[in-house]
Amino acid sequence: MLGYGDDTEVKKYQNAALQAFADVLKIEKLSDITKTNQRKGKYCYPYIEESTFLPSVYHLVGLAYTQNWRTPGNIELLAAAINHRDSILPADNNLQVKVKNNYYSVGLLFRPIKIFSIDNIDFILYRRVLTEIAMLGVGTKVKGIRESMNNLEETLSKDGILKWDLSSYQKQQLRTYRIPSAYCDIGLEEDYNKPHALECDLTFWALQFLHIINHTK
């Protein structure tokens, strides 16, 4: 994701990512760091200044795929920071960052972790973020990971297959998210129109996710 792994060039970025998560623990409530957007319009959400440090999906990726930052203290820090940010972020939160005179979305991490539920079809699009949080080595110390693991194990206990009943249109929509990036999962199957292709991808993800947690908890 970042080159050849734990190169010296990424050390500075790893430190910045750790600091972004550490700074979350200094925030008592979200209003401590947000400002009210005085503009009028549908998408004029509360915002933070660009100098405000909050973890993004890129900070998450930078730590999930490297190793040399990992100490018991740093892993405990990340678990505490993720639990704390989930406790102060409203479920329907919308947040932007102001850069000069422009406002940008801060990505998938402006809301609490979306806990896995077979009843929520939107979850298909959030597998990667959940996986990369588990890859930090936090195990079940993070509430969202622990509850997702429990829900997923219960779902798989029925027949060992993870599946949603999707229409052909919904399967086609998933192709939009198949280009690897910090915002989407990586699929193994080329075409979700093939019988059981989506179920294969989802079940592989489920087993991988549970393996990562069991390996580190």
Side-chain angles (χ1 to χ4, degrees):
M1 298 295 289
L2 296 172
Y4 295 101
D6 294 319
D7 304 300
T8 55
E9 290 82 1
V10 302
K11 183 65 176 177
K12 182 177 180 180
Y13 187 81
Q14 289 171 333
N15 290 338
L18 288 169
Q19 189 61 52
F21 280 99
D23 281 4
V24 172
L25 294 172
K26 303 174 184 178
I27 304 169
E28 293 186 10
K29 54 185 183 300
L30 192 59
S31 59
D32 290 343
I33 60 171
T34 56
K35 297 183 179 180
T36 302
N37 197 322
Q38 301 300 323
R39 300 181 305 163
K40 302 295 181 182
K42 182 178 180 181
Y43 301 107
C44 294
Y45 302 125
Y47 70 91
I48 57 175
E49 299 286 355
E50 62 178 308
S51 58
T52 303
F53 231 25
L54 282 181
S56 71
V57 288
Y58 299 104
H59 293 123
L60 176 59
V61 166
L63 297 176
Y65 292 92
T66 55
Q67 300 291 325
N68 61 6
W69 60 270
R70 297 173 191 248
T71 64
N74 281 341
I75 291 173
E76 290 289 341
L77 166 70
L78 290 175
I82 294 170
N83 284 328
H84 182 62
R85 66 170 289 282
D86 281 0
S87 71
I88 64 175
L89 290 177
D92 60 348
N93 185 51
N94 286 298
L95 187 66
Q96 294 177 325
V97 57
K98 182 180 180 183
V99 181
K100 296 183 179 179
N101 293 320
N102 297 312
Y103 298 83
Y104 303 94
S105 169
V106 295
L108 290 176
L109 295 187
F110 63 83
R111 293 178 182 172
I113 295 173
K114 187 177 285 292
I115 297 171
F116 169 81
S117 171
I118 195 64
D119 299 320
N120 185 355
I121 201 168
D122 290 342
F123 182 81
I124 291 178
L125 304 181
Y126 292 86
R127 289 172 289 157
R128 180 157 188 170
V129 169
L130 203 63
T131 301
E132 289 175 345
I133 291 173
M135 288 173 63
L136 297 175
V138 295
T140 54
K141 296 183 180 71
V142 171
K143 179 183 177 183
I145 297 295
R146 183 171 64 252
E147 293 184 2
S148 293
M149 180 190 73
N150 293 337
N151 291 346
L152 190 54
E153 287 180 334
E154 181 180 355
T155 301
L156 291 174
S157 67
K158 298 174 183 178
D159 59 9
I161 300 173
L162 184 59
K163 54 180 178 289
W164 273 269
D165 185 16
L166 302 181
S167 66
S168 296
Y169 174 76
Q170 289 172 319
K171 290 181 180 180
Q172 286 298 110
Q173 286 294 98
L174 287 177
R175 296 180 63 184
T176 306
Y177 301 92
R178 293 181 64 79
I179 300 175
S181 74
Y183 291 92
C184 75
D185 201 5
I186 296 175
L188 301 178
E189 298 290 336
E190 295 181 359
D191 187 354
Y192 285 158
N193 289 324
K194 296 179 180 178
H196 309 302
L198 180 58
E199 287 85 352
C200 287
D201 260 5
L202 294 175
T203 303
F204 176 84
W205 166 78
L207 296 176
Q208 177 196 46
F209 178 66
L210 294 174
H211 173 77
I212 292 170
I213 298 172
N214 290 325
H215 186 67
T216 57
K217 70 178 181 179

